[in-house]
């Protein structure tokens, strides 16, 4: 009888869970039975919805965006400070005096390069507010205003990204991740059961190919989990959750698929 090996899904990280099911969705291309198509599309939709939940974009997570913008505001800070220092060499006494005020503001605040992100935010906010308190006419006269505007924008972009990251984390903490995972597993269980039925009862070649490919992919992931846990030898027993199977006759959702 054909079977599909399952895995203890609650041991998979979010990106691992998504990667596994994205691959399995692609493997359904070998299934040609039209009666299974609606279930496959429902499975594809569930995986897509899970991806939309945990991914900010294809290339960047919310956390990586925050890190990138933190580096950008640090660079903007360094540029402002260096420009302020350069004003001391100019001939215009008023410009030099403004430059001295600018340098004093930077000197009175801690260097954000040596602080964590939360501490840096307080420093950047204080510096921007202090710099903006200087008359715009004086900032324009010495050419500092565009540099200040860039620093303020970089800091605001960072703060907005932090809010996005926090909303993402809050969504996960509120249990949405678990709900969407269970939807993926329910949909996968239906496709798996239908494929097993056609492969076993009708010797359907496409379904047989799907089952073998899924088993190979799951077995690779199980080895990965064993290695990550630090076990040198991969040993499994029939009672292990990682060696449970979906087979006929069976329910469409067993205890491990609910993990």
């Amino acid at each position: 009888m054909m079977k599909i090996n399952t895995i203890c899904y609650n041991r998979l990280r979010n990106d691992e869970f998504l990667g596994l099911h994205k691959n399995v969705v692609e493997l359904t291309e070998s299934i040609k039975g039209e009666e299974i198509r609606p279930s496959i599309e429902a499975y594809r939709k569930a995986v897509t919805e899970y991806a939309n939940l945990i991914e900010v974009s294809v290339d960047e997570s919310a956390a990586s965006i925050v890190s990138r913008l933190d580096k950008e505001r640090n660079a903007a800070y360094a540029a402002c400070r260096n420009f302020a220092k350069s004003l001391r060499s100019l001939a215009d006494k008023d410009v030099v005096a403004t430059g001295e005020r600018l340098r004093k503001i930077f000197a009175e605040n801690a260097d954000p390069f040596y602080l964590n992100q939360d501490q840096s935010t307080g420093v950047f906010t204080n510096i921007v507010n202090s710099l903006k308190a200087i008359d715009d006419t004086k900032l324009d006269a010495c050419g500092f205003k565009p540099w200040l505007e860039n620093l303020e924008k970089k800091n605001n972009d960072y703060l907005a990204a932090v809010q996005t990251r926090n909303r993402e984390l809050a969504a996960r903490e509120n249990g949405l991740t678990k709900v969407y995972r269970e939807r993926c597993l329910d949909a996968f269980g239906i496709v798996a059961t239908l494929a097993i039925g056609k492969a076993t009862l009708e010797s359907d070649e496409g379904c047989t190919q799907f089952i073998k490919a899924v088993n190979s992919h799951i077995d690779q992931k199980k080895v990965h989990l064993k290695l990550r846990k630090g076990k040198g030898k991969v040993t499994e027993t029939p009672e292990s959750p990682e060696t449970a199977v979906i087979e006929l006759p069976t329910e469409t959702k067993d205890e491990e698929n609910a993990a």
Side-chain angles (χ1 to χ4, degrees), residues 218-233:
I218 288 177
D219 287 344
Q220 291 177 21
K221 178 54 65 176
K222 285 157 62 177
V223 171
H224 178 206
L225 290 176
K226 289 288 187 182
L227 292 175
R228 188 167 72 199
K229 192 175 181 180
K231 293 183 178 180
K233 183 178 179 181

Side-chain angles (χ1 to χ4, degrees), residues 117-219:
Q117 290 179 347
D118 288 338
Q119 291 173 322
S120 294
T121 295
V123 171
F124 279 121
T125 300
N126 188 53
I127 288 176
V128 168
N129 289 338
S130 297
L131 293 173
K132 289 176 66 177
I134 299 176
D135 187 82
D136 278 351
T137 303
K138 294 182 179 180
L139 295 178
D140 282 328
C142 69
F144 186 76
K145 190 173 182 181
W147 297 88
L148 172 56
E149 290 174 344
N150 181 59
L151 176 60
E152 184 176 23
K153 180 180 184 302
K154 294 299 184 183
N155 191 47
N156 288 339
D157 289 345
Y158 169 84
L159 295 176
V162 169
Q163 292 181 353
T164 298
R165 180 195 63 187
N166 292 344
R167 284 195 297 268
E168 178 184 305
L169 293 175
R172 294 178 183 180
E173 291 171 0
N174 288 335
L176 282 179
T177 300
K178 181 178 180 181
V179 171
Y180 279 71
R181 278 192 179 214
E182 289 178 348
R183 289 179 184 175
C184 290
L185 293 174
D186 288 341
F188 168 66
I190 293 172
V191 172
T193 300
L194 293 174
I196 290 170
K198 285 185 70 68
T200 302
L201 303 177
E202 303 176 22
S203 300
D204 185 279
E205 184 61 31
C207 290
T208 299
Q209 180 181 338
F210 168 76
I211 293 167
K212 290 180 178 179
V214 171
N215 282 342
S216 176
H217 193 70
I218 288 177
D219 287 344

